[in-house]
Amino acid sequence: MAHKAVRIEVTEFLDTFFPLPEGVTADQHPQWAEDVFDGLAAGEVLTEQEIQRRFVEAVNDNDLIPGLKMSTSSEKPDITEMGNFKQKPDAAIFKADSVPTDGRPHWADQLITVEFKRNTTSQDPFDDRKGAELESDAATRKEVRGQLIDYSELVFRIQHRTALFMILVINRKIRVLRWDRSGTVVTPAFDYVAEPQVLCEILWRMSLLSDEQLGIDTSATRLHPNDTDYKYMDILALSSKTDLSSCEGYDLLPAERQRKDHIFTHVREKFREAVDPKWPRYRVEVPDGDGVRTFLIGAPAFYAQGMACRGTKGYVAWDIQAKRFAWLKDAWRLDYERMEPEGVILSKLNAHGVINVPTLVCHGDIRNQKTRTPDIWEAQQPVRPDTPASTAASVSPSPTLVDPAPQLPSSTSRKRTLVEAEDEDTSCGEEEYTLRRHAHYRIVVEEVAKPLSEFLSGRHLVSVIVDCIEAHKDAVTKANVVHRDVSSGNILILPKVVNDDNTGKPYIAWKGLLADWELSKPIHEAEPLLRPRQPPRTGTWQFLSVGMLTDNPKTVEIPDELESYLHVLLYFSVRYLESDCKDPAAFIESYFDSYTLQGGVYTCGARKREIVKISGKLTVKDGVPLTFHSPMDRIFCTLLPVFKAHYMVQDYLKMKDAVVQLPFRKIRPMPSSTPPAAPGARRSSMAALKALTTEKLEHLAPVNDAPTPEEYARAARLQDHDYVLGILANAHDLVDPKCCWSCDKVGDRVPEKYKPQVPLANPHGASARTMKRRRMTDVAAVPPPFFSLPGRLTQSQMPKAK
């Protein structure tokens, strides 16, 4: 397993990340007193607060960071309460003209985060001892590491960053860290009281760095209240009489039918939320062919939780050139050859006329900004991995276009512990063999959609999924592209103006939109041979097929994608529709989150395997049927046996191949000497036991579990999209007088304070048992790896059917 942290010596850290400007030499540094940190010599008897106070005073009073200042913030959270963030780092370094004086973090202005700890061993998140793992598993050390991850993650979320430097003061010891989306580079701890010149040089070099070298994304320009664009965003947030209602079923008025440039009300509302004065606003660049387009953005409508990941953020943005709203996705895409950027794929889909997919506006990598931690890590490996030449797969890609479905309440009402934060950032287990390379990327599309959780009824849910399967079919048949990540966050609802089939009059219909195509690839293209240190799986864990979770590596095929649609349908049905399931949260946890860990490899959880592959029946505990008392039951009763037959055929074919390959064992000859006779008492005992039955021992019969012709026929129905589309369409139009197929949504059935019953982390020493891969908190938001979303939808906020 590749750990996310890499240690390098202080001199290498300085040469790599704090290079001296041209014309400046190391001997031109200011003169520093040898006793500058002597006030901290007795650190073992000082409190953490006193260490913090004396250190900050020593730095500021001696002007050790010219042009910058250190300010404390350990007592009060940020007054803006952006997203209810309550973290309080001990201190931070700011530019001299923006140093806060209220003792609060001011996350939007921090340049370098500073944290203080008193205990030099138990509170040091890293272990420098020879032969020890750098990232120690000791609980207190993991807790501190989780705290640092939280801080770095928050800075990346609020600011636009390529990297973040951090100073960790542990009594008399100090470390310097650099975070990016691939991992952490950390120096060994050294005694800054005994070696003050080393720390003074580090701080001096920090002061000489440009914004870009400090990890600021210079393609994003911070706006301030006096800026024209800042004020213009306030105007754009105001409702207009020409805004078009987003309500499903709304009939357009005659005047509205004449307009072509509608702004939907849900888009305006989302932008209004984004210009919250508590959040910073930016003007950002996005490549557009040979040029650049600019967009105005505020708070993200969606942000992915986690540090070593793609760090996806989604914004409702104002296109300055086109003078219209759009959806802007900012992410650190996987940077490997043969992985086409999402914009290239969308452009291809648009050119082939694929329906129900986003419409590309512009896209591109941002100023050659790439993560640097993998370079450091690879240089330290005994055998360097090959130059990235094949597709590196992601276990949990980030969604696009809209903030996805609300998470289980455990992610919002139950605070994530710091140990969990550390586990989440390294939760890929032993499947991770290398630090992933990432490149900064932005893509803009026309559509601003709604999350799937806002579906109106079971019937409407089926309709949206049908739209997305049609998009998938179109992509396969017209563009030869398979999506490879059908999941809850990538199936969206798009309000559209459509014409009534009977009257021809326009009205608003909530249609399905299949988004996030960055992991797609040409169908029938075999998975490349994995490099020894390349992570293997592709997709979002909870919605991957049983086959994808069992056979690894495996090419994603149409049956796998159709099964993923079935998992999405089941998840939203159990969570939001009326049913006989008494504990939806527990079912969701056992079906979607569980996994089996055996020999360091994650495979499918027991509940999903049992329902889809073994029984072909939708049940809760002890075989009790899970029913919705609507046509939804007929969907699962019809489709699950088809997937069961598919796996029967696949397993039989694999078994036949395996049997053919089995070598014959040579029978060992009996020893020449006659074994001693068994004692008489033992012989008589065996004879008495043999008399208990007259049945003869059976010979091993040849395995003959060949599927029946009917099972072969069922399995063949999954070779294209038509059968599943037909079943869903028939269920959608089914009229059942015994149930209300259009009013069965009852709100979120997961309790507000639901606490997951299975721990996220691996119990120490576990070998093979069913556990949670990642909670549905990642999925409804999408994974890991973990995601934080705005508060979940309440019953009163649910859209009403017309």
Side-chain angles (χ1 to χ4, degrees), residues 365-422:
D365 288 340
I366 307 301
R367 299 190 178 187
N368 200 34
Q369 296 170 354
K370 300 180 184 243
T371 53
R372 300 177 65 183
T373 305
D375 295 333
I376 307 294
W377 182 84
E378 290 181 5
Q380 296 182 2
Q381 303 313 302
V383 179
R384 272 188 83 167
D386 299 333
T387 300
S390 57
T391 304
S394 171
V395 174
S396 58
S398 304
T400 183
L401 296 181
V402 73
D403 48 324
Q407 306 173 354
L408 285 180
S410 59
S411 66
T412 53
S413 61
R414 185 181 71 87
K415 184 178 180 181
R416 176 178 67 163
T417 68
L418 296 176
V419 172
E420 284 178 330
E422 200 276 337

Side-chain angles (χ1 to χ4, degrees), residues 204-441:
W204 171 62
R205 288 202 183 199
M206 277 184 180
S207 72
L208 300 176
L209 298 178
S210 65
D211 285 351
E212 186 174 5
Q213 290 172 318
L214 281 169
I216 304 296
D217 173 14
T218 52
S219 72
T221 303
R222 174 82 177 272
L223 301 176
H224 298 280
N226 290 329
D227 293 333
T228 301
D229 282 343
Y230 188 101
K231 297 175 182 178
Y232 185 46
M233 292 176 74
D234 287 329
I235 297 173
L236 290 171
L238 299 176
S239 298
S240 170
K241 293 180 180 180
T242 60
D243 289 349
L244 184 61
S245 171
S246 301
C247 292
E248 208 276 340
Y250 172 76
D251 294 316
L252 273 66
L253 299 173
E256 293 172 328
R257 299 172 192 173
Q258 307 302 318
R259 295 181 60 87
K260 300 298 182 183
D261 54 345
H262 298 292
I263 294 177
F264 282 105
T265 52
H266 78 279
V267 177
R268 184 85 70 178
E269 289 165 3
K270 279 291 184 183
F271 190 77
R272 188 178 306 122
E273 294 171 8
V275 296
D276 185 333
K278 300 172 185 176
W279 279 80
R281 304 179 191 181
Y282 289 89
R283 181 175 58 251
V284 298
E285 300 175 0
V286 181
D288 183 15
D290 294 332
V292 172
R293 293 176 80 154
T294 50
F295 297 82
L296 301 179
I297 59 173
F302 163 80
Y303 43 79
Q305 198 165 9
M307 189 59 218
C309 61
R310 282 195 294 275
T312 305
K313 297 185 286 188
Y315 301 86
V316 178
W318 178 257
D319 186 337
I320 294 177
Q321 281 73 32
K323 292 182 170 48
R324 56 161 294 167
F325 288 111
W327 180 261
L328 186 151
K329 173 180 168 182
D330 182 292
W332 287 78
R333 69 176 184 86
L334 292 169
D335 185 26
Y336 291 87
E337 294 179 14
R338 297 183 59 190
M339 286 202 74
E340 291 183 312
E342 184 179 6
V344 173
I345 299 162
L346 272 184
S347 178
K348 180 179 179 181
L349 297 179
N350 294 161
H352 282 83
V354 175
I355 62 171
N356 303 331
V357 298
T359 306
L360 179 68
V361 174
C362 59
H363 73 108
D365 288 340
I366 307 301
R367 299 190 178 187
N368 200 34
Q369 296 170 354
K370 300 180 184 243
T371 53
R372 300 177 65 183
T373 305
D375 295 333
I376 307 294
W377 182 84
E378 290 181 5
Q380 296 182 2
Q381 303 313 302
V383 179
R384 272 188 83 167
D386 299 333
T387 300
S390 57
T391 304
S394 171
V395 174
S396 58
S398 304
T400 183
L401 296 181
V402 73
D403 48 324
Q407 306 173 354
L408 285 180
S410 59
S411 66
T412 53
S413 61
R414 185 181 71 87
K415 184 178 180 181
R416 176 178 67 163
T417 68
L418 296 176
V419 172
E420 284 178 330
E422 200 276 337
D423 285 334
E424 290 162 13
D425 216 52
T426 56
S427 63
C428 293
E430 296 185 24
E431 290 182 351
E432 290 288 349
Y433 307 115
T434 182
L435 296 188
R436 297 176 181 179
R437 295 178 174 275
H438 294 272
H440 194 191
Y441 177 77

